[in-house]
Amino acid sequence: MPHPAMSPNHVAVITGGASGIGLAAAMRFATAGMKVCIADLGDDRLKQAAAKLSSVAPSGAADIMTAAVDVSRADQVADLEASVAKKFGGTDILMNNAGIQPGSTMFGPADNWQRILAVNLWGVINGTQAFAPNMIKRGRSGLIINTGSKQGITTPPGDPAYNVSKAGVKAFTEALQHELRNTDGCKITAHLLIPGFVFTGLTARGRTEKPAGAWTSEQTVDFMIERLDAGDFYILCPDNDVPRALDERRILWAAGDIVENRPPLSRWHKDYGDAFAAFVKGK
């Protein structure tokens, strides 16, 4: 059965909703008869996304709202929540999805680190703190979906600022779900979306055609909705190259670095390559 929050005339708010996974989710919610607000930056991008959403929404543009919002700004996110409440009466689904990945190095510019953390981590915190209290007060079933990353779990070398931001999203969302399930009368649940390799503007890096190994945003959202309906907290998405079984072995190995007292990131350490390969094969 579909999750009760995904019902006609209920309200979904998606940050980073003008493209990629965010827009794909907005399209699914609009098609289902929900009222949808997308928040993003870029007036032209928002207008184009709004036109697409209006074309599939049963009531057309009347059920679609857009807002130019910098999610790193708590005041702008608070204004977004108030605007949605004024127009649609409240929020049933919040998808904190806005994210950036410009690349980073360990000793790179501080401004770059601060911006990545401000959008990817503080955007999730700001969104949750602005929306969750009134979502709880409504007394209706609802969802808070935070977009994380496998890089926030296995933390591969190469982009430390992004890894730190997404590791923070994981820890925050786990704490959030614990808080919600221990709040009397609360019908809101939190969920961590963990995409696989998805071909979006964030991952295209100059490519115009989807690599064979990548999923589309639509595939990712279909999987997300399937697992939300099933009640999963960790929505660990496969892709065309990496099945769930391989993700599980990689995650277990990363946790094993602590338990076994191995060097950090031992999966990429020359002395542990053979051991990791054997572990993946279940030996």
Side-chain angles (χ1 to χ4, degrees), residues 174-188:
E174 290 168 337
L176 172 63
Q177 175 55 13
H178 175 79
E179 184 86 9
L180 293 173
R181 71 184 177 219
N182 286 287
T183 298
D184 291 342
C186 178
K187 297 181 180 180
I188 310 299

Side-chain angles (χ1 to χ4, degrees), residues 2-240:
H3 191 283
M6 295 182 219
S7 297
N9 295 315
H10 283 204
V11 179
V13 177
I14 304 103
T15 67
S19 63
I21 293 172
L23 180 56
M27 291 288 285
R28 282 295 303 270
F29 295 148
T31 301
M34 297 187 69
K35 302 176 190 297
V36 175
C37 173
I38 56 169
D40 213 318
L41 293 174
D43 290 344
D44 289 343
R45 298 171 66 245
L46 285 166
K47 288 179 183 177
Q48 292 170 9
K52 292 179 181 178
L53 292 168
S54 298
S55 72
V56 300
S59 297
D63 284 347
I64 305 301
M65 173 181 173
T66 66
V69 176
D70 179 348
V71 297
S72 72
R73 294 276 305 276
D75 58 336
Q76 292 189 20
V77 179
D79 288 345
L80 172 67
E81 193 278 335
S83 297
V84 173
K86 182 177 181 180
K87 183 174 179 64
F88 292 142
T91 300
D92 299 288
I93 297 177
L94 170 66
M95 188 170 178
N96 289 308
N97 173 74
I100 58 173
Q101 191 175 11
S104 65
T105 59
M106 184 58 66
F107 305 111
D111 287 349
N112 196 33
W113 274 77
Q114 289 167 359
R115 184 60 185 162
I116 292 167
L117 290 170
V119 173
N120 294 1
L121 178 55
W122 274 104
V124 171
I125 297 171
N126 290 337
T128 301
Q129 292 185 338
F131 280 83
N134 285 333
M135 290 175 70
I136 295 168
K137 288 178 184 176
R138 295 187 88 195
R140 289 162 48 147
S141 294
L143 300 166
I144 298 175
I145 307 159
N146 294 336
T147 301
S149 172
K150 293 174 187 178
Q151 287 182 231
I153 301 172
T154 59
T155 61
D159 198 349
Y162 184 81
N163 292 355
V164 168
S165 70
K166 292 299 185 177
V169 170
K170 171 183 175 290
F172 177 81
T173 310
E174 290 168 337
L176 172 63
Q177 175 55 13
H178 175 79
E179 184 86 9
L180 293 173
R181 71 184 177 219
N182 286 287
T183 298
D184 291 342
C186 178
K187 297 181 180 180
I188 310 299
T189 57
H191 304 265
L192 182 67
L193 175 62
I194 312 168
F197 179 21
V198 186
F199 186 59
T200 68
L202 195 70
T203 63
R205 295 185 174 88
R207 293 171 292 198
T208 57
E209 294 187 9
K210 182 185 77 67
W215 267 13
T216 64
S217 296
E218 290 75 17
Q219 284 177 293
T220 303
V221 170
D222 285 346
F223 184 84
M224 178 188 80
I225 291 175
E226 173 189 319
R227 300 323 305 168
L228 287 170
D229 291 347
D232 290 2
F233 172 82
Y234 298 102
I235 304 175
L236 182 63
C237 302
D239 53 45
N240 293 334

